[in-house]
Amino acid sequence: MVCSDSNPTTNSMDEKQKSLSEGQLIELINDLKGYVAYQESLGAEFFPRSTTKIPPHPTLTEVRRDLGECTRCKLHLTRRHIVFGEGSEKAQLVFIGEGPGEDEDRQGRPFVGKAGQLLTRIINAIGLRREEVYITNIIKCRPPHNRNPQQEEIATCEPFLNKQLEVIQPKIICALGTFAAQTLLKTDAKISRLRGRFFSGRGIKVMPTYHPAFLLRNPHKKKEAWEDMKKIQKEYIK
Ligand code: SF4
């Protein structure tokens, strides 16, 4: 039996059929393109848009709504107001303290007492206004008699801080005092060892420094705090 591929006449016909079918294909594609363009001009959709619903980026209002009149830890029993936080949702710089004090508990706003006034002056000294930054605390309710927050209370409240940071996505966090620094950096090192350097927490630069209430009691430490703030200012304007 002789192989048909060895027949030169058959090969030439195959080549002709092949080039003919390529030409037809190009013609067909061009026809199809023209048809699609025409139908689209009439409003037809050939590639329907995805019906998958992407959840909208949450806002601070939504995070606050989720928190509600929170009773997740025992601090709800003694608080007057939840102190959620305030400032710009688009802040590049977020200040995080330990927890509300008496004035904050009464007013429902963060850092409004004497320590808060000092924080406001510090913010102004680096060329910013309170409205341009965001200010909050690790826990949102005042511990009785301003005692230190307990680990269980911090762990219960922390998811809401995380959500706030997810919404704001700041460039820099200034951790005010031991509890804020230790919670954000997952360490038990003291603030005196942590302050003055940038760390990375949640992909954000974190600068621990002294809490303004500590500075009021220890004014000789203000110089060190000011050094820390100058580093923040430099990073902020980069
Ligand atoms: S401290 Fe946080 S978790 Fe505890 S009751 Fe207040 S808002 Fe809720």
Side-chain angles (χ1 to χ4, degrees):
M1 196 172 170
V2 179
C3 176
S4 60
D5 285 353
S6 61
N7 185 335
T9 313
T10 314
N11 278 349
S12 145
M13 281 179 69
D14 283 349
E15 282 303 311
K16 196 173 172 185
Q17 276 179 345
K18 194 179 164 196
S19 72
L20 193 63
S21 59
E22 277 176 4
Q24 283 176 326
L25 193 60
I26 290 165
E27 201 176 322
L28 191 65
I29 289 169
N30 285 336
D31 284 352
L32 197 57
K33 276 186 188 167
Y35 176 74
V36 168
Y38 172 66
Q39 289 295 328
E40 280 182 341
S41 73
L42 297 177
E45 280 189 19
F46 287 89
F47 306 103
R49 284 167 181 74
S50 168
T51 53
T52 307
K53 288 214 166 96
I54 299 167
H57 194 62
T59 62
L60 287 175
T61 307
E62 284 162 342
V63 179
R64 179 65 188 87
R65 198 182 303 137
D66 285 350
L67 183 64
E69 280 310 298
C70 185
T71 56
R72 292 171 180 84
C73 83
K74 61 180 177 298
L75 292 180
H76 81 277
L77 295 168
T78 47
R79 73 163 182 241
R80 277 187 253 188
H81 291 104
I82 290 177
V83 182
F84 181 68
E86 67 181 26
S88 168
E89 190 155 320
K90 294 186 177 135
Q92 290 290 291
L93 174 57
V94 172
F95 289 88
I96 302 177
E98 174 182 313
E102 192 179 358
D103 294 313
E104 291 75 18
D105 180 50
R106 197 179 311 116
Q107 295 187 39
R109 295 180 55 212
F111 284 89
V112 287
K114 280 189 178 149
Q117 287 158 20
L118 175 57
L119 179 63
T120 304
R121 289 200 296 278
I122 290 171
I123 292 168
N124 295 157
I126 57 167
L128 295 169
R129 291 174 292 120
R130 266 180 83 113
E131 303 75 45
E132 291 176 273
V133 301
Y134 194 81
I135 306 172
T136 187
N137 286 296
I138 295 287
I139 53 167
K140 313 300 187 207
C141 301
R142 181 194 179 206
H145 312 295
N146 289 354
R147 67 155 168 78
N148 290 336
Q150 295 168 353
Q151 276 312 313
E152 182 193 317
E153 293 156 0
I154 292 174
T156 310
C157 209
E158 199 183 351
F160 292 94
L161 174 67
N162 291 339
K163 285 185 194 173
Q164 287 173 301
L165 294 173
E166 273 170 34
V167 172
I168 301 169
Q169 297 184 6
K171 184 175 171 187
I172 308 162
I173 292 172
C174 180
L176 298 167
T178 299
F179 281 93
Q182 290 182 343
T183 302
L184 290 165
L185 301 176
K186 305 295 173 215
T187 175
D188 50 15
K190 289 186 174 164
I191 189 68
S192 53
R193 293 200 52 204
L194 296 170
R195 62 149 289 273
R197 289 179 283 155
F198 277 112
F199 294 81
S200 180
R202 302 164 171 81
I204 304 166
K205 292 195 169 192
V206 180
M207 169 66 79
T209 193
Y210 295 120
H211 193 285
F214 173 83
L215 294 175
L216 289 175
R217 294 192 302 271
N218 302 275
H220 64 284
K221 292 285 184 186
K222 282 184 183 172
K223 190 170 177 293
E224 287 173 50
W226 178 236
E227 292 303 318
D228 303 343
M229 295 313 299
K230 281 197 287 188
K231 288 179 188 166
I232 288 177
Q233 185 183 35
K234 198 172 164 192
E235 188 63 35
Y236 186 92
I237 57 176
K238 241 186 200 175

